[in-house]
Amino acid sequence: MKMISQKTFDFLSELQANNNREWFAEHKKEFDREFQNSKAFFQQVGGELGKQDSIEKVHVFRIYRDVRFSKDKSPYKAHFSASFTRTKPLLRGGMYLHIENNNSFVGGGFWDPNAEDLQRIRKEIELDAEELRAILQQPQFIENFGVLTGDELKTAPKGFDKNHPDIDLIRKKQYLLARQFSNKEVLQPDFQQEVLKTFAAMRPFFDYMSSVLTTNLNGESLY
């Protein structure tokens, strides 16, 4: 079983402190070694994840930042990360694994839903949020993620009552879950299993959202 090593954190920490092309070129061999090790870990996670879910794609992100529209011109990310895409159209919700010195986490949910999907989610919540509330209040959900997070509007979306009892959920623009891990936890032999357990804890939320996004408001299947 692949593991994340202390050398990975050491490299990422040094990269964060020396985020320039000259330093990176001098330490390219170290980068290649740690990136390939992390990539193998991500791919192994994806393979194991495929045994408990239907995964369409594992995408390991590049280290290079797109700085064209950013005030921060640092050329490199100080983390390694990968995403795991569920098989569409019937299964919805993306999963994400982020390895960074003192900021590692497992994430998932709906980062950038299109306008149609976002409207459908909001209308479902407006109609009846009881099932979603029950999922968010499950002990396993709270233990792993605490609360549902994500950017939200300051007021009600157009066409929705600002006094609706579930307006806190309706005004969200993202529906995200995250569980943080310390460096010590990441370095443990059971970290991969903890990652998989965390992804599994997302399933009730994903199943709910998949049901919403593959049906109309009458509960009739769209596929």
Side-chain angles (χ1 to χ4, degrees):
M1 182 180 293
K2 299 293 183 181
M3 291 178 58
I4 301 297
S5 74
Q6 181 61 47
K7 289 181 179 179
T8 297
F9 284 131
D10 292 342
F11 172 79
L12 292 173
S13 181
E14 291 179 22
L15 174 59
Q16 189 169 33
N18 302 276
N19 202 323
N20 60 76
R21 290 179 175 82
E22 292 76 20
W23 184 90
F24 190 83
E26 292 174 4
H27 295 81
K28 185 66 164 54
K29 287 185 179 179
E30 294 170 53
F31 162 72
D32 288 338
R33 181 188 66 217
E34 300 311 323
F35 179 76
Q36 290 303 321
N37 180 68
S38 298
K39 182 177 181 180
F41 180 83
F42 294 146
Q43 290 175 333
Q44 192 170 80
V45 168
E48 291 299 312
L49 188 57
K51 297 176 182 179
Q52 68 184 42
D53 204 342
S54 181
I55 302 301
E56 190 173 67
K57 181 180 180 183
V58 177
H59 177 73
V60 179
F61 291 96
R62 289 157 47 91
I63 195 73
Y64 308 99
R65 295 182 64 248
D66 183 355
V67 300
R68 291 174 299 172
F69 308 107
S70 174
K71 292 182 180 179
D72 179 4
K73 299 301 181 182
S74 303
Y76 309 106
K77 302 168 187 172
H79 62 266
F80 294 138
S81 59
S83 65
F84 308 88
T85 304
R86 303 181 81 211
T87 305
K88 293 181 178 179
L90 295 180
L91 301 179
R92 303 296 180 89
M95 290 165 279
Y96 177 76
L97 177 54
H98 182 104
I99 302 298
E100 181 178 357
N101 187 44
N102 297 319
N103 187 36
S104 297
F105 64 92
V106 168
F110 298 80
W111 176 263
D112 187 26
N114 61 44
E116 182 179 353
D117 283 354
L118 186 56
Q119 180 71 3
R120 176 68 184 88
I121 293 167
R122 286 170 169 169
K123 294 299 290 184
E124 184 70 26
I125 294 170
E126 179 186 45
L127 183 67
D128 183 4
E130 184 176 348
E131 184 177 352
L132 178 56
R133 291 284 188 195
I135 292 169
L136 302 183
Q137 291 166 7
Q138 288 177 352
Q140 185 184 38
F141 183 95
I142 295 171
E143 179 184 349
N144 280 277
F145 313 115
V147 297
L148 190 65
T149 63
D151 292 344
E152 56 187 49
L153 300 171
K154 292 182 179 179
T155 186
K158 185 177 180 180
F160 291 85
D161 181 3
K162 66 180 181 180
N163 296 314
H164 191 284
D166 299 300
I167 193 62
D168 60 314
L169 296 173
I170 292 171
R171 68 175 180 234
K172 284 189 175 298
K173 297 188 291 183
Q174 301 173 316
Y175 295 85
L176 304 178
L177 317 174
R179 177 187 173 188
Q180 297 286 145
F181 288 88
S182 67
N183 285 12
K184 182 179 179 180
E185 290 172 321
V186 172
L187 297 175
Q188 295 302 309
D190 68 346
F191 175 59
Q192 186 176 128
Q193 292 305 313
E194 284 300 312
V195 170
L196 293 169
K197 284 168 57 179
T198 306
F199 284 141
M202 297 180 184
R203 284 291 296 278
F205 176 69
F206 283 168
D207 289 346
Y208 167 81
M209 286 293 200
S210 295
S211 176
V212 170
L213 294 173
T214 57
T215 60
N216 60 26
L217 276 173
N218 291 323
E220 299 164 337
S221 176
L222 301 175
Y223 300 94

